[in-house]
Structures are given as structure tokens and as C-alpha cells.
Amino acid sequence: METPSSTLPTTVEKVAIMQPYFFPYLGYFALIKHTDFFVSFDPVQYIRKGWINRNRVLKPNESWQYITAPIQGTDREALIKDVLVTEGDAWKTQILRQLEHYKKRSPYYNEVKALLERCFANPELSISRLNTFYLAQVCEYLEIPFNHAIFSDMNLTLGPVAAPDEWALRTSQAMGATTYINPPGGREFFHADKYIAGGVKLQFLDMHLEPYSQRRPTFEAGLSIVDVLMFNTPEQVRTMLDNISLETAQ
């Protein structure tokens, strides 16, 4: 089962470039929904205990827990594109077991379980390709377009990259994109003057997440998309994804 990847379009207006996260939070999918093309950015160092191979869901009764795709032994300097998950289905079965408690309170448990089973049927070991495949499956479930490619497959010719914030600029330029959109956490990281000089509009997307019912006293914010889907229909989630604001960097 191959990871679906869109053909690079001849023209792109709005592009997002993100490391491929493991069943990421809602804001990640808002970024996908409000751009024309999404790049899974995998030529950078894999950070242990980050979001590449794990995310958070509800724990039975209270608080939250991690669901994790364990990785094979890697060098400390390994790049995301070279990281492999552990072979076999044991970790996938473990995740499904961790989610069984949702059955008691989630109205869409069966639909989400079926979605995850489709995801987990992919035997791919590359964490970059696997996560991108999972993103595609979730977007299909939500009925939102997911025009995308994996950076290491794109064979782009980039200009000089002298600073970390220039990866997105050079990639946008190589794709002919007119606008690059980033999550809000990168405001202090990016230098707008570089983008203005490079002919690329730099914008930041803020997600305004309203609490949804998790059928428990305390709302746990910022969990994996898996949790959101357990309690909301695709239509409701699409509405959530439109609850955003865009700020243009000056």
C-alpha cells in the first residue's frame, strides 16, 4: 500500500510546509484546509519525544495519555526521512486497546476505529511516509482536499538556505507559491523582511478551538485529531477548521 502523493501543480498560491506529525492536533488540519498544497517536510533532524511518532488522547477517567509508534534504533542525528517504525502490528494493536475506553462515551467510536484500522493496514515503515498516509486518510474521512507531496520526493532546486526560516521561503519560491502560511508558534522565528524581499507573502494561521463535549467533567485541550473525531461528525470538524484568523507579517 503506497502513500498517496499528489503531482506537484504547475501553479500554487498558498502553501504549508510542516514536519509530518503522528495524528496531529486540529490546528494542523486547519492549515491543510486553508492552503492549496501541503509539503511533508522530512529532511530535518528527528527529535525524540516530539510529535513525529506520538500524540495525546484521553486516558480513562481523567487526564491524557500518549499513543506511540515506536521507532527502530536510530542515530541521534538521524533525519525524519530516514526514521523507521518498529516492524509488526503489536504497537498498532496497543493503540487500538488504549482507545477502547472511548467506546463507553464516544458517539463515533466505531467510525474512528474503522478509520484507524484502514490507516494501520499500511505496512509502510518510513515514519515520514506513514504519517503522510495517515494525514491523507483523515482528510478523506473529513472530506477536505489534501494536495500534497513529501519533500524528499520532490527533487526541488532550492536557493541558498542560510538560516532555519529560509527553508520555507526557498521551498515556496521553488514551487512558485505566492503565500506561505505557518502556525502561530513561528512568529518570532521568521523574519518577514526576507519573505517580502523574496516575493512571498508570509501569514500565520491561528486556530480558535472551542471546547467540545468529551463526556467528562474537565475538557482536555490540544489532543490528537483522534479525540476530536471521537466526539464530532466530519461536518462539525470542518466547521471547527474554519474557526481561524490569518495574520499577514509586515
Side-chain angles (χ1 to χ4, degrees):
M1 185 181 299
E2 296 183 357
T3 301
S5 185
S6 299
T7 302
L8 188 63
T10 54
T11 58
V12 176
E13 182 180 352
K14 299 176 182 179
V15 64
I17 303 168
M18 290 286 291
Q19 295 179 18
Y21 286 177
F22 185 70
F23 294 111
Y25 75 118
L26 198 63
Y28 196 105
F29 289 92
L31 199 61
I32 290 173
K33 187 174 187 294
H34 293 279
T35 52
D36 304 315
F37 201 86
F38 183 91
V39 178
S40 286
F41 192 68
D42 63 352
V44 290
Q45 184 180 357
Y46 164 75
I47 303 299
R48 299 175 188 275
K49 297 184 178 181
W51 301 112
I52 300 299
N53 71 310
R54 67 177 187 171
N55 220 298
R56 304 186 307 148
V57 296
L58 290 178
K59 189 176 182 179
N61 302 320
E62 60 180 16
S63 192
W64 54 266
Q65 61 181 326
Y66 284 114
I67 51 173
T68 303
I71 62 167
Q72 299 182 27
T74 60
D75 183 90
R76 185 174 294 274
E77 304 299 320
L79 304 181
I80 295 171
K81 69 183 183 67
D82 298 320
V83 172
L84 304 177
V85 299
T86 302
E87 293 189 61
D89 293 335
W91 63 268
K92 301 173 184 178
T93 301
Q94 171 64 22
I95 289 175
L96 292 175
R97 286 176 178 167
Q98 286 180 271
L99 298 173
E100 284 180 351
H101 70 92
Y102 275 94
K103 188 174 184 179
K104 298 178 181 179
R105 58 171 57 93
S106 166
Y108 307 109
Y109 170 81
N110 290 331
E111 291 86 344
V112 177
K113 181 182 178 185
L115 168 63
L116 293 176
E117 287 172 342
R118 291 194 296 274
C119 290
F120 293 159
N122 189 340
E124 176 64 62
L125 296 181
S126 161
I127 191 67
S128 176
R129 295 183 181 280
L130 201 58
N131 283 351
T132 304
F133 177 80
Y134 294 167
L135 292 174
Q137 292 299 303
V138 173
C139 288
E140 182 177 335
Y141 178 82
L142 291 174
E143 299 181 358
I144 61 174
F146 185 45
N147 301 310
H148 68 282
I150 298 173
F151 184 89
S152 57
D153 291 339
M154 295 174 72
N155 298 315
L156 293 177
T157 300
L158 303 185
V161 177
D165 67 331
E166 294 179 12
W167 277 105
L169 173 60
R170 301 305 179 208
T171 301
S172 299
Q173 290 173 325
M175 295 176 64
T178 59
T179 303
Y180 170 70
I181 303 180
N182 199 76
R187 281 189 175 91
E188 71 286 351
F189 179 72
F190 286 87
H191 295 83
D193 56 333
K194 294 181 183 179
Y195 285 75
I196 294 171
V200 176
K201 181 188 294 185
L202 173 63
Q203 292 187 319
F204 296 98
L205 183 149
D206 268 312
M207 177 83 198
H208 307 300
L209 176 60
E210 299 293 336
Y212 51 89
S213 174
Q214 294 172 326
R215 309 290 179 89
R216 64 197 317 179
T218 303
F219 177 71
E220 294 286 349
L223 300 186
S224 163
I225 189 67
V226 172
D227 184 78
V228 181
L229 298 180
M230 286 285 190
F231 298 102
N232 298 277
T233 66
E235 182 179 11
Q236 289 171 323
V237 176
R238 290 195 301 272
T239 299
M240 292 178 186
L241 296 177
D242 288 336
N243 189 13
I244 64 163
S245 58
L246 281 171
E247 175 191 340
T248 300
Q250 304 294 330

